[in-house]
Every structure is written in C-alpha cells, then in structure tokens.
Amino acid sequence: MSVLMGGGVAILLADRHPHLVGRLVLVDSHLDHHTPDPTTSPWKMVGYSEEEFLEEGWEPVLESAGPHWAATMRQTLLNLRLPRTVLYPAADGPLPGAAELAGNGVRTVPIPDCGHNIMIDNVDGFATAVAAALAR
C-alpha cells in the first residue's frame, strides 16, 4: 500500500499540468510502494482498526481513491522535465535510490537535525535548502 499525500499530489500535478509547475521541491516524500505502520497510518484517523481496515476497509478505499493512489511516484518523478529536488532527514541515512534519482537530474538534499517535519524541526535548514532549490 502506498499513501498519496502532498508529495504525490505535487508529482502528479507536475506530470499532468506541466505548464503550472516550474520547479518541484518535495519534502520527505514517499516515492515508492510501501506498507505504512498501522499505528501511525492515516487510516487510524478515519476510524479503522488494523483488523477492520484489512478485512473491510482496503478495497473500498482503493476503489474510491483510484489506481494512481496505489502506484509508485518514483517513475513519474524521474520522467518529469523540470528542476526537481527531494529534501529528506539526514538521520534517515542515504535516500533509497539516490543514485537513480541523481542520474535522472533529481537533486537529493539531506537536512540535518530533523525528522519528517523538516520545516518545523529545522526551519533554517529547510529555508536554505528550498531557497537553493528554487534558485537552480
């Protein structure tokens, strides 16, 4: 299962409406198919227990969200032809697939002293990285 959140929405917008997007800066975005931790997953917020979601929630959610929701964003990001930057917490270690991203013109920037909420945990590091990405 993959969750399409802000980064995925931005990637799809850039792909479907390239005239609207001049540069793309993603902040700790999930680019690959993954199974989220059910204790922190958005599904907890909509009232499913893990068991309920597995038994009765998965199919209706997938059906209502459509096929793009469960697809990987990485390939779409690689195919975009605009400046692209991915910011991620340095503490997470190397970004999976960083060499492939770099080989396709996607800049990856580790941000120190932060977790997933980079813009809250390290305001200065975030602002500096975004300014650099937008100046490219």
Side-chain angles (χ1 to χ4, degrees):
M1 171 172 52
S2 176
V3 179
L4 183 60
M5 303 282 279
V9 170
I11 291 168
L12 290 176
L13 174 69
D15 181 53
R16 294 177 185 176
H17 303 282
H19 61 285
L20 296 176
V21 182
R23 287 170 173 43
L24 185 62
V25 180
L26 302 171
V27 181
D28 202 22
S29 296
H30 295 289
L31 299 176
D32 300 300
H33 187 81
H34 71 286
T35 302
D37 177 347
T39 63
T40 60
S41 160
W43 309 121
K44 281 295 222 191
M45 291 186 273
V46 296
Y48 284 115
S49 70
E50 179 180 6
E51 296 79 17
E52 289 169 334
F53 181 73
L54 293 174
E55 290 176 15
E56 64 190 60
W58 166 247
E59 292 299 329
V61 168
L62 183 59
E63 183 177 320
S64 69
H68 293 289
W69 177 78
T72 180
M73 290 292 103
R74 180 178 297 272
Q75 192 58 49
T76 304
L77 177 65
L78 293 176
N79 291 334
L80 294 176
R81 297 295 160 231
L82 62 131
R84 296 148 295 158
T85 302
V86 177
L87 310 180
Y88 66 96
D92 288 355
L95 189 65
E100 178 187 30
L101 292 168
N104 284 277
V106 180
R107 187 168 170 244
T108 59
V109 180
I111 308 296
D113 305 320
C114 65
H116 176 67
N117 294 311
I118 294 171
M119 69 289 298
I120 296 170
D121 298 340
N122 185 343
V123 175
D124 292 338
F126 172 75
T128 299
V130 170
L134 296 178
R136 287 181 66 199

